[in-house]
Amino acid sequence: MVRIRVLVVDDHRIFAESLAAALAAEPDVDVTAAGSGPAALRCLERAASEGRKYDVLLVDADLGIVGGPGGGPVARAVPDNGDAGLGLVDGISLVAGVRSGQPSVRCVVLAEKDDPSRAALALQAGASGWVAKDCSLQRLLAVIRGVLRDETHLPPALLTSVLRELTAARKHRTDSERLVDSLTPRELEVLRCMVAGLGRKAVAERLFLSPHTVRTHMQNVLGKLGVHSTLAAVALARRAGVGPADLDGTDAVRVG
């Protein structure tokens, strides 16, 4: 019998362990529960090193989310057995990281409520499904087996809204790419430094330019992108797929 290896990731430990126990009752499912993003990454890395990779990751949509100012959600790292300081690992970021590092692992997001915007973000990050936490065990098992056949699973009520979100995101990306294409090679390199979080002085040192010249380049970047702040420029750059400058210095070159 081919067994399906499943990793459940939820910082509500009772839920994670209860779901893991229910899935483990299936004769063809091996399951493990992790209480945080960092703990999940350790499980995945250990399993890969031992030649027994997980097949499916079930991750809480609200992993690492606590109430922010005014009741809005903010993400945080959830300490688990000394995980403090390992950095932010929210649910959707975990999906993106896993799909990048172990693309054979299928990811399914478990959500307490329907949210088209976040479901679209999850799919963009590489998730194969968005499933309600209160769905039946049989429904969840059907999704697990379906994503292993390269199916994508969404609640029917969300389908139209999610497609609308994905279409809008694609348009924004296209518009952003067009604006980024208007930059000179030097301006693009300055933008990549901005995406990496470097300030004007650090950019000047990295690119062998004067701070005044860097300031001019930054102003030109903002003007061409049609934004008024570094944060807005970075957000647009990320939508266009512009990555950060390599801070280890290997891509630093002297350009006139």
Side-chain angles (χ1 to χ4, degrees), residues 165-178:
E165 292 280 345
L166 292 173
T167 300
R170 190 177 300 113
K171 179 181 183 301
H172 290 156
R173 180 181 176 89
T174 301
D175 292 343
S176 300
E177 288 173 342
R178 186 177 64 252

Side-chain angles (χ1 to χ4, degrees), residues 111-215:
E112 293 208 7
K113 60 180 180 179
D114 288 343
D115 186 329
S117 296
R118 295 187 67 206
L121 287 174
L123 294 183
Q124 288 175 309
S128 297
W130 177 279
V131 182
K133 276 190 170 183
D134 60 0
C135 74
S136 69
L137 181 62
Q138 292 309 308
R139 165 63 179 160
L140 183 56
L141 286 166
V143 170
I144 289 171
R145 296 187 170 103
V147 298
L148 289 175
R149 297 190 296 268
D150 289 327
E151 298 173 0
T152 299
H153 286 258
L154 283 172
L158 273 186
L159 185 58
T160 299
S161 298
V162 169
L163 288 176
R164 187 181 300 118
E165 292 280 345
L166 292 173
T167 300
R170 190 177 300 113
K171 179 181 183 301
H172 290 156
R173 180 181 176 89
T174 301
D175 292 343
S176 300
E177 288 173 342
R178 186 177 64 252
L179 291 170
V180 168
D181 284 343
S182 71
L183 302 179
T184 66
R186 172 58 85 193
E187 290 165 351
L188 180 58
E189 185 60 21
V190 169
L191 178 60
R192 292 183 64 222
C193 290
M194 294 163 67
V195 173
L198 299 182
R200 188 188 309 167
K201 182 178 179 181
V203 175
E205 292 175 351
R206 174 183 171 76
L207 300 181
F208 309 102
L209 299 172
S210 71
H212 175 75
T213 300
V214 170
R215 180 174 181 272

